[in-house]
Amino acid sequence: MLSDRRPILLANARIVDPSRDFDGPGDVLIADGVIRDTQRGIRAAGVPEGTEIVDCRGRMVAPGLVDMRAFVGEPGAEYRETFASASQAAAAGGVTTIVCQPDTTPVIDDPALVDFILRRARDTAIVHVHPMAALTKGIGGEELAEIGLLKAAGAVAFTDGIRSVTNALVMRRALTYARDFEALVVHHTEDPDLVGEGVMNEGEFAARLGLSGIPKAAETIMLERDLRLVALTGSRYHAASITCAESLDVLRRAKEAGLEVTAAASVNHLTLNEVDIGSYRTFFKVSPPLRAEDDRRALITALASGLVDVVMSDHNPQDVEVKRLPFAEASPGAIGLETMLPAALRLIHDGDLTLLTLLKAMSTRPAELLGLPGGTLRPGSPADVIVVDLEAPWVLDPETLKSKCKNTPFDEARLQGRAVRTIVAGRTVYEYV
Amino acid sequence: MNVAPKSSFVLSRRHLLGIEGLSREEIGGLLDLADEFVHLNRQIEKKRASLRGRTLINLFFESSTRTQSSFELAGKRLGADVMNMSVGASAMRKGETLMDTAVTLNAMRPDLLVMRHHASGAVELLAHKVDGSVVNAGDGAHEHPTQALLDALTIRRNKGRIEGLLVAICGDILHSRVARSNIILLNTLGARVRVIAPSTLLPPGIERFGVEVARDMREGLAGADIVMMLRLQRERMNGSFVPSVQEYFHYFGLDQKKLAYAKSDALVMHPGPMNRGVEIDSSVADGAQSLIRQQVEMGVAVRMAVLEALSRNLPNV
């Protein structure tokens, strides 16, 4: 019974808790929606009556993932995704908190809409949902949104979604104003003029396909501008999705200068590259675009060193009508809530990263940045916990995905590892059988 | 009826979507077959029956007079029933998607579908959805394989070979599917290829295509056996990619003076339609070194060869 709120004991687990840099054997006791204890041998010491005892047989227990960038179609594009369907996908992917994006219809730039999202999510979602709100009204890039009121209503950060604020003066004022509320500004860094008609990474591969390219400079220039403005304003800034080695240099300099700057990379950019587009496969069309293999390697190295703070899914459901088109005309976006963890585990199996590093970027760090209580197994914390089989090999069948759209670049991919149980606020919301 | 061509070459693939992936032998086989059709096309009786009973649909999402009529004539001379559809004007405006069009046409059971589309990759997308053979008549800035084949046939008939020749391709390389298909084909057959253009009209990464790159005509045309000019679209010459027609012609327009930088027996080609006074001067276009009209003749023969070689691979039941 999924709504069971009996206490749960996850016994004989490999506990990986990035918030405490702990990776070792242990048991986890959950009761009343809270993590009670994470010692070894809890069972012998006695558990409350009626506790559901789960023998993890060495499987990993970790904090539930906090996905910092997921587009949910509600309101306005419920055919693409609803909080109900997105949260089902999230639960199946080990994501216990979705941070949804404000570029919906209407745009989330009004406190009443933040309230609407929180209520809809409360009534229909099985994982936590927190909205980001628009940085500028109507994500128009011109007038400041009500950052104070939106934050008070529950917005966890401010962003114009997949749009960049091109006017540097507007961006400066937004950053300055946000600082007074200690609000986090999250920005998609792509200069739209340099993007032009580009649809994939600029270079030999785009030239061979006869497709217009997007230069890396489109991203790096915008990021560089932003970080100069952050130096000017002293605000909290997060680059929503960086993709290339050059951006990492810019980011490194800003961090070394002591700015309160963080950055995320999507699981797509960490596990795929431009060559995966093959012969015009539109499921690999994402924004910003997949880059070269060298860039992917650089992102992984930066993630390992902590230069890249967050890994997110960049979940963006698109139906067949906008994907089954010539590449240049197809909409960008890939779903990712359900595949983020298994895809990212490729980096573990390839020996590129430790589990602690990866999970920190997918749970502890985003929770810290957004001021959310998850991302930890510390006793007393909310019981957002996942049990993961790290080894199970499987082939992804898109028809089994819970998302309303099936636009996954991992269509028929061989994957290894998956969430086998997802617990949100002490309740098991997903079990893989 | 004429006698059958001596060449029994079969293109052992269902579609011709590009030059990419064609072997030297396949290209040679198509050119040899085309040579025979050049001869046939110069007879009074030009008709063959090898495509009798077959239906060929010309599906053009982008208007084109010469390529469409060239394919139409090629199909008719081989005995196929040919239908022309220009979709830009009708269905797409009503919101029908490329996929719907493909499914609709496929239900009419064409054996051969010749398609042109403004988006790179669109022809391949359609090819996945139909049962007959698809010939790419140009997709976006990607490929235009029959143009490259007809260019190769023209060169081979005039120079006796392709291997070892220096071919200079000049103009809007960035947006040109003709350039891409030609670069691949000429490289496969062992020619040296040099591209000449202002840097704004060169695709990033072009140096990795196995070509030499030149930014001016004197350097670029030096030693060239073949000078292949490309069309520059009007919307690209008014400050977006080059400052003006005047400046473009001054630096890159082929006139007698610039042609003199090439070998004395260099031959001039252009896929058409030409912008006289923009990329090419009339005295060169109509001059003794020009192969431009011959290219049109070779076009019909090459398309007959492609249709014939593909149809030999079609199921006969």
Side-chain angles (χ1 to χ4, degrees), chain A residues 202-204 206-211 279-280 321 324-329, chain B residues 98-99 117-122 124-125 141-142 180 203-205 208-209:
Chain A
E202 181 173 285
E204 181 194 357
R208 287 193 186 277
L209 290 171
L211 295 172
S279 57
Y280 306 101
E321 301 311 322
R324 215 170 51 184
L325 290 173
F327 195 87
E329 294 165 15
Chain B
L98 174 63
M99 286 303 154
H117 197 280
H118 50 80
S120 300
E124 183 174 332
L125 187 62
H142 180 225
R180 277 174 187 68
R208 299 178 72 171
F209 278 54

Side-chain angles (χ1 to χ4, degrees), chain B residues 142-153:
Chain B
H142 180 225
E143 282 233 44
H144 189 358
T146 58
Q147 179 70 42
L149 287 165
L150 78 88
D151 289 340
L153 183 65

